[in-house]
Amino acid sequence: MQKKTKATRKPRITIREVASDAGVSVAAVSKVLRDAYGVSDALRAKVQASMDKLNYRPLASARGLRGRTYTLGLIFPDLRNPFFADVFSGVNAALERTQYQAMQGISTSANALVEAMIDRQMDGLILIGPNEQAERLDEIAARLPLVLIGHHQETERHFDVVNNDDQLGARLAVRHLVNNGYRNVAMLSLGTPVSSVIQQREIGYRMEMVERGLGEYITIVRAPQVLRDVQIVLRNFLESRNRPEALFCWTDLMAFKAISVATEMGLAIPDDLAIVGYDNTVFCDFAQNRLTSIDQSGEVLGLQATRLLIERINGRVEADQFMVTPRVVVRASSQRVKKG
Amino acid sequence: MQKKTKATRKPRITIREVASDAGVSVAAVSKVLRDAYGVSDALRAKVQASMDKLNYRPLASARGLRGRTYTLGLIFPDLRNPFFADVFSGVNAALERTQYQAMQGISTSANALVEAMIDRQMDGLILIGPNEQAERLDEIAARLPLVLIGHHQETERHFDVVNNDDQLGARLAVRHLVNNGYRNVAMLSLGTPVSSVIQQREIGYRMEMVERGLGEYITIVRAPQVLRDVQIVLRNFLESRNRPEALFCWTDLMAFKAISVATEMGLAIPDDLAIVGYDNTVFCDFAQNRLTSIDQSGEVLGLQATRLLIERINGRVEADQFMVTPRVVVRASSQRVKKG
DNA sequence: TCAAAAAAGTAGAACGCTACACGTAGAACA
DNA sequence: TGTTCTACGTGTAGCGTTCTACTTTTTTGA
């Protein structure tokens, strides 16, 4: 510990000062703040005026000790996937004109972060693409309002779930490729830990392949999140004897990497190898990628999750859910140049 | 307001329970918690044992009301630029084995977010690439410990600054291009609001061009952050009569967009147009980009900023600073294929 | 017109911690 | 031996809110 010479900072305006300035009780100011019952328009106006005049802002710590902090925790699994930026803008849109503020945390293993957020009195939590077991999630939900984005386990649960139909999304990807003449369609999936989102996409891929009579071509290659490992796995796979004609990647980020590896190997996209991603992130449109991708409307997911969370904070107890229907956004990476 | 049927959650373990379990005073437990002076090894051990046994975790709100919250605020200007992921991992590395936790906020105009973070009793703030005026920054610094990443105003200040040498970085970019035979080198810069980082890069670009005797070619094109606008501006510029031979972009993200626009127009990179970015983000390596870029070691920046912030929280008052020297990482986007 | 009900406003305890002020015991010193 | 110092512990006020219980005022309705 170091010596504390900390400069004395001027103290904050407190609720007491507002009350005395407005000539009302502290309790009255608190009521205005919380939009609680039993406040006349006249009183509200008086208090508002004093708050504006004094530039008062309630202190979240103090509020937290008795009631809410008006802070929502948002946990992302990583910062590199641009898909999360879409989700985030949805959250922000939902928070506009509310008293709530979002604080983000980023961690692959949400566990420690969840505890830290609970310690910091978040009023509720949104977990995006969590890896945790259903049991653990219920444990968290027992402690504070919880909404999950991207979770498919069908259990009795005490939290809300916002999803896109990942199974359908994968089917759409395969369907699109097959309709464009590709038969040997492989899938690039994620190694452990396997989230339910990935599982659904794998199932969708498998089912569609089987239904199209292409069961014999089913190949799922799994790689970790780390790009260096993806490089190695993909390179090996694409150099092998049974190189596929098309590759469906579980997220755009991996698809971009796939484009990179294929390009390095001198493969032409989409003639030698077609590629489809998932998320329809902003980089898909870039001319060096032109990546066909499944759009799952990240912004809508973020928006809905936030709405549900606030409802839940306000007392809803039953589990709710929301599902977005994905759609294919076709670009050059998956359509063979027409011959003839 | 909705009816509150909120399930009663089991109450937290408090410091009082720990104290009684350990058979010591509440004050003693608090001392252990804060690593404060006047605690014997025996007492510490007893208290630790009880904390572990009861699974006690101090409540940040309560701590904040008297002392610190052990929470640092991190404000990013946006989520889409992968450079910030590098900074973030540096922050995380510095936080390992400390009691501190980082909470992220994302906003182009940090102002409201800064207030929100102060309301939430952050012990200190790290602002990354802030647009605020020096005056406003000092005002913030008067209220809580502050460290900036990417700020170049030479003023009397009450905060710390962590930078890479942006002027040098820009010079290196130009130098590299000129050494590779390009003469008409333009720069893609950011429209308003102009941060000091951008200013430095523009200065570096200008000075190096002049010193190389290429002053007549100096052209700075400015576009907003929004990709759609960048597209329009760039397209116009590259279609114009005086298309440059090379383009130095203020950040990789823009450089990727530039690659996209050039590719759309059928320009070959680097033969028709060389491109250099800034940040050396992970996507530079992808074969569809192969982007030469200036590395400013985001991770180091994040790490140092965090160290300085914690020092400052612990009482340091004098302004400190840290500077990283950038370097060029050469890839195919800036080297003409050798002829003959 | 008056009692009852609804609305508006207030007092003050409580939330979980920190830090100040203080007490005590033993060691060091003269 | 007495005095001073240091190390170790403790008691408790108070941080800025919310919220319950209460009082006062106004409205309603017969």
Side-chain angles (χ1 to χ4, degrees):
Chain A
M1 280 281 132
Q2 233 165 296
K3 204 178 91 197
K4 283 189 216 173
T5 332
K6 195 183 296 189
T8 40
R9 316 186 179 282
K10 71 177 167 198
R12 269 181 97 94
I13 304 288
T14 72
I15 198 174
R16 234 175 296 273
E17 294 166 67
V18 174
S20 94
D21 181 89
V24 300
S25 73
V26 168
V29 180
S30 175
K31 278 193 181 181
V32 171
L33 237 40
R34 287 172 294 130
D35 213 5
Y37 172 86
V39 181
S40 66
D41 289 352
L43 185 134
R44 187 189 313 281
K46 254 195 307 189
V47 170
Q48 269 300 349
S50 291
M51 294 202 302
D52 292 350
K53 177 177 137 199
L54 300 175
N55 201 3
Y56 166 75
R57 300 185 58 107
L59 190 69
S61 302
R63 306 184 94 173
L65 224 43
R66 298 293 294 157
R68 344 184 149 170
T69 56
Y70 296 90
T71 312
L72 308 183
L74 210 56
I75 300 186
F76 296 111
D78 85 292
L79 248 190
R80 229 149 233 141
N81 195 328
F83 168 62
F84 300 124
D86 297 341
V87 175
F88 177 68
S89 47
V91 172
N92 259 8
L95 253 34
E96 214 141 280
R97 320 223 140 270
T98 69
Q99 275 199 70
Y100 288 91
Q101 249 291 332
M103 297 272 137
Q104 284 75 39
I106 298 133
S107 172
T108 17
S109 62
N111 248 309
L113 205 45
V114 167
E115 293 303 323
M117 293 230 163
I118 293 177
D119 294 345
R120 280 155 188 83
Q121 303 267 98
M122 300 289 147
D123 290 341
L125 236 47
I126 297 179
L127 256 55
I128 297 150
N131 295 320
E132 334 300 307
Q133 291 303 308
E135 210 170 76
R136 167 73 180 141
L137 292 170
D138 244 340
E139 198 185 302
I140 298 169
R143 298 207 276 158
L144 85 170
L146 179 67
V147 176
L148 265 44
I149 297 182
H151 175 85
H152 290 275
Q153 265 153 303
E154 290 300 330
T155 52
E156 185 85 40
R157 55 186 163 71
H158 300 97
F159 48 82
D160 304 327
V161 167
V162 173
N163 278 319
N164 93 102
D165 189 337
D166 287 291
Q167 210 177 104
L168 175 60
R171 275 172 172 279
L172 292 176
V174 174
R175 197 169 301 165
H176 162 75
L177 285 166
V178 173
N179 287 347
N180 275 270
Y182 298 95
R183 297 171 54 79
N184 186 348
V185 177
M187 172 173 181
L188 173 63
S189 181
L190 181 63
T192 49
V194 183
S195 76
S196 57
V197 168
I198 303 285
Q199 278 174 25
Q200 289 298 308
R201 294 188 191 165
E202 288 192 6
I203 292 171
Y205 160 74
R206 282 210 156 87
M207 289 178 68
E208 190 70 20
M209 288 294 277
V210 168
E211 286 176 24
R212 287 314 190 93
L214 300 170
E216 62 184 305
Y217 291 116
I218 290 178
T219 321
I220 298 183
V221 192
R222 294 196 177 79
Q225 284 262 25
V226 193
L227 284 175
R228 214 165 39 84
D229 296 335
V230 178
Q231 167 89 25
I232 295 164
V233 170
L234 265 182
R235 182 108 202 185
N236 275 337
F237 179 52
L238 295 181
E239 273 173 351
S240 70
R241 182 177 319 277
N242 53 342
R243 196 186 77 210
E245 299 171 277
L247 186 63
F248 164 50
C249 302
W250 73 273
T251 184
D252 284 349
L253 204 61
M254 296 302 139
F256 298 137
K257 186 72 202 180
I259 293 176
S260 173
V261 173
T263 306
E264 265 175 20
M265 292 172 60
L267 298 176
I269 297 170
D271 290 323
D272 298 328
L273 180 72
I275 297 180
V276 173
Y278 209 110
D279 293 343
N280 194 32
T281 47
V282 77
F283 301 112
C284 293
D285 255 332
F286 283 23
Q288 63 267 50
N289 296 320
R290 294 198 209 281
L291 178 66
T292 296
S293 188
I294 308 297
D295 191 310
Q296 59 166 323
S297 317
E299 199 165 336
V300 175
L301 295 178
L303 189 92
Q304 286 301 331
T306 309
R307 287 207 180 133
L308 289 179
L309 184 58
I310 291 179
E311 270 181 45
R312 191 163 267 278
I313 290 172
N314 285 335
R316 180 163 53 71
V317 170
E318 324 80 65
D320 202 341
Q321 65 182 68
F322 184 90
M323 175 89 91
V324 169
T325 304
R327 65 199 173 84
V328 192
V329 178
V330 179
R331 298 193 184 81
S333 74
S334 62
Q335 288 186 305
R336 279 205 178 99
V337 181
K338 278 165 198 135
K339 289 160 189 169
Chain B
M1 280 281 134
Q2 233 166 296
K3 203 178 93 196
K4 284 187 213 170
T5 331
K6 195 183 295 187
T8 39
R9 317 185 179 282
K10 71 178 168 197
R12 268 180 98 95
I13 303 288
T14 73
I15 197 174
R16 233 176 296 273
E17 295 166 66
V18 174
S20 94
D21 182 88
V24 300
S25 71
V26 167
V29 179
S30 175
K31 277 192 182 181
V32 171
L33 236 40
R34 287 172 293 132
D35 213 3
Y37 175 84
V39 181
S40 67
D41 288 352
L43 185 132
R44 186 189 314 282
K46 254 196 306 190
V47 170
Q48 270 300 351
S50 291
M51 295 203 300
D52 293 349
K53 177 176 137 199
L54 300 176
N55 202 3
Y56 167 76
R57 299 183 59 108
L59 190 70
S61 304
R63 305 183 95 173
L65 224 44
R66 301 294 291 151
R68 341 183 152 170
T69 57
Y70 296 90
T71 312
L72 307 182
L74 211 56
I75 299 186
F76 296 112
D78 85 293
L79 249 189
R80 233 152 228 138
N81 195 327
F83 169 61
F84 300 124
D86 297 342
V87 175
F88 178 68
S89 48
V91 172
N92 259 6
L95 253 34
E96 212 138 282
R97 318 223 140 269
T98 69
Q99 274 199 73
Y100 288 91
Q101 249 290 331
M103 298 271 136
Q104 284 76 237
I106 298 133
S107 172
T108 17
S109 64
N111 249 310
L113 205 46
V114 167
E115 294 302 324
M117 292 228 164
I118 293 177
D119 294 345
R120 279 156 189 81
Q121 303 267 97
M122 300 289 148
D123 290 341
L125 236 47
I126 298 178
L127 257 53
I128 298 150
N131 295 320
E132 335 300 308
Q133 291 302 311
E135 211 171 74
R136 167 74 179 141
L137 291 170
D138 243 340
E139 198 185 301
I140 296 170
R143 299 208 277 158
L144 85 171
L146 179 66
V147 176
L148 266 43
I149 297 182
H151 174 86
H152 290 275
Q153 265 154 304
E154 289 300 329
T155 53
E156 185 85 39
R157 55 187 164 71
H158 300 97
F159 47 83
D160 303 327
V161 167
V162 173
N163 278 320
N164 93 103
D165 189 337
D166 287 289
Q167 209 176 108
L168 175 60
R171 276 172 172 278
L172 292 177
V174 174
R175 198 170 300 164
H176 162 74
L177 285 166
V178 174
N179 288 347
N180 275 270
Y182 298 96
R183 296 169 56 78
N184 186 346
V185 178
M187 173 172 179
L188 173 62
S189 182
L190 181 64
T192 49
V194 183
S195 75
S196 57
V197 167
I198 304 284
Q199 277 174 26
Q200 289 298 308
R201 292 187 192 167
E202 288 191 6
I203 293 171
Y205 161 75
R206 281 209 157 87
M207 290 178 69
E208 190 70 21
M209 288 295 277
V210 169
E211 287 175 24
R212 288 313 191 93
L214 300 171
E216 61 184 306
Y217 292 116
I218 289 177
T219 320
I220 298 184
V221 191
R222 293 196 177 79
Q225 284 262 24
V226 194
L227 284 176
R228 215 166 37 85
D229 296 335
V230 178
Q231 167 90 26
I232 296 165
V233 170
L234 265 182
R235 182 107 199 185
N236 275 339
F237 179 52
L238 295 181
E239 273 173 350
S240 71
R241 183 176 319 277
N242 53 342
R243 197 187 76 213
E245 301 170 275
L247 186 63
F248 164 50
C249 303
W250 72 273
T251 184
D252 284 350
L253 204 61
M254 297 301 139
F256 297 139
K257 186 74 203 179
I259 293 177
S260 174
V261 173
T263 306
E264 266 175 19
M265 293 173 59
L267 299 175
I269 298 169
D271 289 322
D272 299 328
L273 180 72
I275 297 180
V276 173
Y278 210 111
D279 292 343
N280 194 31
T281 48
V282 76
F283 300 111
C284 293
D285 256 333
F286 283 23
Q288 62 268 50
N289 296 320
R290 293 197 210 282
L291 178 66
T292 295
S293 187
I294 309 297
D295 191 310
Q296 59 166 323
S297 316
E299 198 165 337
V300 176
L301 295 178
L303 188 92
Q304 287 302 330
T306 309
R307 287 208 179 132
L308 289 178
L309 185 58
I310 291 179
E311 269 181 47
R312 190 163 268 278
I313 290 172
N314 285 334
R316 179 163 54 71
V317 171
E318 324 81 66
D320 202 341
Q321 63 181 70
F322 184 90
M323 176 89 93
V324 170
T325 304
R327 65 201 173 84
V328 192
V329 178
V330 179
R331 297 193 185 81
S333 74
S334 62
Q335 288 186 306
R336 279 209 178 95
V337 182
K338 278 162 200 136
K339 288 161 189 171

XYZ file of all heavy atoms in Angstrom, chain B residues 198-247:
417
model
N -5.212 11.502 -34.480
C -5.311 11.732 -35.915
C -4.437 12.909 -36.332
O -3.721 12.850 -37.340
C -6.768 12.056 -36.299
C -7.692 10.936 -35.836
C -6.896 12.284 -37.793
C -7.645 9.723 -36.666
N -4.509 13.942 -35.557
C -3.701 15.130 -35.872
C -2.226 14.779 -35.990
O -1.545 15.164 -36.931
C -3.886 16.195 -34.794
C -5.120 17.046 -34.980
C -5.346 17.980 -33.809
O -4.393 18.346 -33.117
N -6.589 18.350 -33.585
N -1.742 14.034 -35.012
C -0.339 13.641 -35.025
C 0.001 12.832 -36.268
O 1.044 13.008 -36.875
C -0.007 12.819 -33.775
C 0.021 13.637 -32.501
C 1.086 14.707 -32.540
O 2.227 14.431 -32.819
N 0.685 15.945 -32.292
N -0.905 11.951 -36.630
C -0.627 11.124 -37.808
C -0.621 11.982 -39.061
O 0.201 11.780 -39.953
C -1.661 9.989 -37.909
C -1.481 8.990 -36.781
C -2.339 7.755 -36.879
N -2.267 7.048 -35.583
C -3.069 6.067 -35.214
N -4.014 5.636 -36.027
N -2.933 5.504 -34.032
N -1.495 12.943 -39.092
C -1.499 13.840 -40.254
C -0.204 14.648 -40.305
O 0.398 14.809 -41.371
C -2.707 14.794 -40.192
C -4.026 14.100 -40.472
C -5.183 15.077 -40.682
O -4.922 16.307 -40.730
O -6.333 14.612 -40.802
N 0.223 15.127 -39.165
C 1.470 15.899 -39.116
C 2.643 15.043 -39.582
O 3.463 15.459 -40.398
C 1.725 16.421 -37.685
C 0.675 17.464 -37.318
C 3.133 17.010 -37.575
C 0.707 17.886 -35.859
N 2.694 13.824 -39.065
C 3.769 12.911 -39.439
C 3.783 12.670 -40.944
O 4.835 12.708 -41.590
N 2.604 12.445 -41.484
C 2.473 12.226 -42.928
C 2.999 13.424 -43.706
O 3.841 13.290 -44.600
C 1.005 11.955 -43.252
C 0.625 12.150 -44.692
C 0.977 11.217 -45.661
C -0.100 13.268 -45.090
C 0.611 11.398 -46.996
C -0.466 13.464 -46.415
C -0.105 12.531 -47.363
O -0.464 12.719 -48.670
N 2.506 14.602 -43.322
C 2.911 15.836 -44.009
C 4.423 16.042 -43.954
O 5.074 16.312 -44.966
C 2.253 17.037 -43.334
C 0.833 17.264 -43.702
C 0.527 18.770 -43.583
N -0.602 19.121 -44.406
C -1.872 19.035 -44.008
N -2.149 18.602 -42.794
N -2.848 19.358 -44.831
N 4.973 15.910 -42.749
C 6.392 16.204 -42.579
C 7.248 15.253 -43.388
O 8.202 15.676 -44.063
C 6.764 16.138 -41.101
C 6.163 17.298 -40.310
S 6.548 17.227 -38.555
C 8.293 17.551 -38.580
N 6.913 13.994 -43.341
C 7.730 13.022 -44.073
C 7.633 13.272 -45.581
O 8.644 13.182 -46.296
C 7.305 11.600 -43.722
C 8.224 10.508 -44.238
C 9.587 10.468 -43.534
O 9.696 11.007 -42.403
O 10.543 9.929 -44.114
N 6.438 13.586 -46.035
C 6.273 13.877 -47.466
C 7.129 15.066 -47.870
O 7.849 15.012 -48.881
C 4.792 14.173 -47.777
C 3.870 12.965 -47.737
S 4.196 11.712 -48.996
C 3.320 12.396 -50.410
N 7.069 16.111 -47.062
C 7.849 17.314 -47.377
C 9.333 16.988 -47.372
O 10.068 17.321 -48.306
C 7.536 18.435 -46.364
C 8.532 19.578 -46.521
C 6.105 18.931 -46.544
N 9.770 16.289 -46.351
C 11.198 15.983 -46.239
C 11.695 15.107 -47.381
O 12.873 15.124 -47.719
C 11.495 15.324 -44.890
C 11.428 16.333 -43.752
C 11.600 15.697 -42.388
O 12.203 14.603 -42.316
O 11.118 16.299 -41.403
N 10.783 14.309 -47.935
C 11.174 13.476 -49.064
C 11.017 14.226 -50.387
O 11.134 13.628 -51.462
C 10.324 12.207 -49.094
C 10.658 11.202 -48.003
C 12.176 10.993 -47.918
N 12.490 9.864 -47.071
C 12.656 8.614 -47.539
N 12.543 8.367 -48.825
N 12.931 7.642 -46.710
N 10.682 15.475 -50.288
C 10.523 16.270 -51.500
C 9.251 15.956 -52.260
O 9.160 16.143 -53.477
N 8.250 15.440 -51.549
C 7.017 15.054 -52.230
C 5.845 15.933 -51.798
O 4.679 15.540 -51.899
C 6.708 13.584 -51.937
C 7.788 12.580 -52.384
C 7.484 11.194 -51.843
C 7.866 12.563 -53.904
N 6.193 17.126 -51.316
C 5.171 18.033 -50.798
C 4.028 18.264 -51.773
O 2.874 18.387 -51.373
N 4.343 18.270 -53.041
C 3.304 18.539 -54.045
C 2.215 17.456 -54.074
O 1.102 17.687 -54.530
C 3.948 18.624 -55.424
C 4.637 17.318 -55.807
C 5.375 17.379 -57.140
O 4.739 17.748 -58.144
O 6.594 17.056 -57.158
N 2.553 16.273 -53.563
C 1.581 15.172 -53.621
C 0.678 15.075 -52.392
O -0.206 14.245 -52.323
C 2.310 13.833 -53.792
C 2.977 13.680 -55.135
C 4.353 13.576 -55.234
C 2.221 13.644 -56.306
C 4.981 13.429 -56.465
C 2.829 13.509 -57.544
C 4.208 13.397 -57.621
O 4.807 13.261 -58.835
N 0.996 15.905 -51.404
C 0.225 15.790 -50.157
C -1.280 15.937 -50.396
O -1.736 16.938 -50.939
C 0.694 16.851 -49.134
C 2.095 16.486 -48.620
C -0.290 16.940 -47.966
C 2.688 17.489 -47.665
N -2.016 14.907 -50.035
C -3.481 14.938 -50.140
C -4.056 14.206 -48.937
O -3.733 13.036 -48.717
C -3.981 14.187 -51.393
O -3.100 14.473 -52.476
C -5.412 14.574 -51.715
N -4.886 14.891 -48.198
C -5.538 14.222 -47.073
C -7.034 14.164 -47.341
O -7.678 15.194 -47.520
C -5.260 14.957 -45.749
C -3.746 14.937 -45.465
C -6.023 14.304 -44.606
C -3.355 15.543 -44.139
N -7.544 12.958 -47.417
C -8.981 12.763 -47.629
C -9.586 12.423 -46.284
O -9.063 11.565 -45.564
C -9.246 11.577 -48.580
C -10.697 11.558 -49.000
C -8.327 11.660 -49.762
N -10.684 13.082 -45.965
C -11.286 12.814 -44.652
C -12.660 12.204 -44.805
O -13.472 12.659 -45.598
C -11.383 14.105 -43.843
C -10.032 14.660 -43.453
C -10.149 15.686 -42.355
N -8.816 16.135 -41.961
C -8.097 17.023 -42.636
N -8.593 17.564 -43.747
N -6.900 17.368 -42.219
N -12.906 11.177 -44.020
C -14.228 10.530 -44.042
C -14.640 10.231 -42.606
O -13.790 10.051 -41.735
C -14.158 9.240 -44.846
N -15.925 10.180 -42.355
C -16.413 9.821 -41.010
C -16.117 8.355 -40.715
O -15.608 7.627 -41.570
C -17.930 10.039 -41.102
C -18.189 10.678 -42.425
C -17.020 10.426 -43.286
N -16.464 7.938 -39.507
C -16.249 6.545 -39.101
C -17.171 5.577 -39.851
O -16.811 4.436 -40.090
C -16.568 6.403 -37.595
C -15.508 6.942 -36.680
C -14.597 5.840 -36.175
O -14.449 4.795 -36.796
N -13.976 6.077 -35.045
N -18.360 6.055 -40.176
C -19.381 5.179 -40.761
C -18.903 4.590 -42.087
O -18.503 5.321 -42.994
C -20.684 5.972 -41.008
C -21.833 5.020 -41.283
C -20.966 6.874 -39.831
N -18.969 3.284 -42.192
C -18.394 2.616 -43.352
C -19.038 3.038 -44.666
O -18.367 3.158 -45.685
C -18.484 1.096 -43.181
C -17.466 0.506 -42.206
C -17.692 -0.975 -42.018
C -16.040 0.768 -42.685
N -20.327 3.279 -44.624
C -21.011 3.663 -45.851
C -20.468 4.982 -46.408
O -20.282 5.137 -47.618
C -22.520 3.770 -45.609
C -23.383 3.328 -46.780
C -24.826 3.131 -46.333
N -25.207 4.126 -45.341
C -25.659 5.365 -45.645
N -25.788 5.731 -46.903
N -25.992 6.210 -44.694
N -20.196 5.896 -45.512
C -19.642 7.179 -45.941
C -18.215 7.020 -46.454
O -17.823 7.658 -47.432
C -19.667 8.183 -44.781
C -21.083 8.496 -44.339
O -22.007 8.357 -45.170
O -21.276 8.851 -43.157
N -17.467 6.177 -45.789
C -16.103 5.917 -46.225
C -16.117 5.411 -47.666
O -15.332 5.838 -48.500
C -15.422 4.881 -45.311
C -14.022 4.581 -45.798
C -15.397 5.379 -43.868
N -17.041 4.500 -47.892
C -17.197 3.936 -49.230
C -17.351 5.041 -50.275
O -16.636 5.076 -51.278
C -18.452 3.039 -49.236
C -18.949 2.601 -50.600
C -18.320 1.304 -51.036
O -17.916 0.497 -50.205
N -18.219 1.094 -52.340
N -18.274 5.954 -50.014
C -18.566 7.026 -50.966
C -17.357 7.932 -51.172
O -16.929 8.190 -52.308
C -19.769 7.857 -50.475
C -21.020 6.965 -50.455
C -19.975 9.088 -51.347
C -22.177 7.537 -49.673
N -16.792 8.361 -50.071
C -15.659 9.274 -50.150
C -14.496 8.631 -50.911
O -13.905 9.235 -51.812
C -15.197 9.686 -48.729
C -13.875 10.426 -48.796
C -16.259 10.534 -48.052
N -14.208 7.401 -50.537
C -13.069 6.717 -51.156
C -13.292 6.493 -52.647
O -12.400 6.697 -53.470
C -12.836 5.371 -50.475
C -11.800 5.359 -49.370
C -11.644 3.953 -48.834
C -10.457 5.887 -49.889
N -14.493 6.065 -52.945
C -14.821 5.794 -54.349
C -14.602 7.051 -55.202
O -13.945 7.002 -56.244
C -16.277 5.342 -54.416
C -16.753 4.982 -55.775
C -16.890 3.487 -55.881
N -16.900 3.098 -57.273
C -17.111 1.847 -57.682
N -17.306 0.893 -56.793
N -17.088 1.543 -58.952
N -15.165 8.137 -54.694
C -14.983 9.405 -55.399
C -13.516 9.733 -55.589
O -13.079 10.101 -56.679
C -15.636 10.546 -54.606
C -17.105 10.654 -54.933
O -17.553 10.179 -55.984
N -17.866 11.247 -54.027
N -12.796 9.576 -54.516
C -11.384 9.937 -54.547
C -10.604 9.066 -55.531
O -9.816 9.562 -56.346
C -10.805 9.819 -53.137
C -9.348 10.140 -53.060
C -8.843 11.327 -53.575
C -8.464 9.254 -52.453
C -7.490 11.624 -53.500
C -7.114 9.538 -52.384
C -6.626 10.724 -52.907
N -10.846 7.785 -55.475
C -10.062 6.872 -56.318
C -10.482 6.943 -57.784
O -9.742 6.532 -58.672
C -10.167 5.441 -55.789
C -9.553 5.207 -54.406
C -9.689 3.750 -53.992
C -8.080 5.620 -54.380
N -11.676 7.461 -58.024
C -12.119 7.598 -59.415
C -11.652 8.916 -60.028
O -11.769 9.118 -61.229
C -13.652 7.509 -59.489
C -14.137 6.066 -59.598
C -15.647 5.956 -59.489
O -16.300 6.962 -59.150
O -16.165 4.851 -59.722
N -11.186 9.790 -59.170
C -10.817 11.123 -59.663
C -9.547 11.069 -60.506
O -8.803 10.083 -60.482
C -10.622 12.074 -58.488
O -9.442 11.740 -57.802
N -9.329 12.143 -61.223
C -8.197 12.223 -62.144
C -6.869 11.939 -61.438
O -6.039 11.166 -61.902
C -8.179 13.631 -62.762
C -7.099 13.869 -63.817
C -7.268 15.267 -64.412
N -8.692 15.578 -64.646
C -9.355 15.175 -65.739
N -8.731 14.481 -66.672
N -10.623 15.495 -65.881
N -6.682 12.567 -60.277
C -5.383 12.441 -59.606
C -5.353 11.318 -58.576
O -5.076 11.527 -57.411
C -4.999 13.765 -58.935
C -6.104 14.254 -58.016
O -7.251 13.805 -58.118
N -5.753 15.127 -57.091
N -5.710 10.144 -59.047
C -5.680 8.985 -58.159
C -4.254 8.771 -57.669
O -3.306 8.796 -58.468
C -6.164 7.749 -58.909
C -6.540 6.614 -57.977
C -6.846 5.368 -58.751
N -5.634 4.729 -59.218
C -5.537 4.061 -60.350
N -6.568 3.980 -61.169
N -4.395 3.493 -60.686
N -4.084 8.564 -56.368
C -2.737 8.370 -55.839
C -2.214 6.974 -56.176
O -2.972 6.089 -56.545
C -2.937 8.503 -54.335
C -4.325 7.999 -54.121
C -5.115 8.427 -55.330
N -0.913 6.814 -55.990
C -0.319 5.472 -56.175
C -0.415 4.662 -54.892
O -0.341 3.450 -54.902
C 1.166 5.595 -56.520
C 1.484 6.374 -57.766
C 2.987 6.597 -57.826
O 3.480 7.577 -57.206
O 3.669 5.769 -58.464
N -0.505 5.408 -53.789
C -0.511 4.718 -52.497
C -1.406 5.467 -51.514
O -1.570 6.681 -51.612
C 0.900 4.620 -51.947
N -1.987 4.711 -50.575
C -2.903 5.306 -49.613
C -2.532 4.846 -48.210
O -2.458 3.645 -47.942
C -4.332 4.877 -49.952
C -5.465 5.507 -49.149
C -5.521 7.017 -49.383
C -6.798 4.863 -49.527
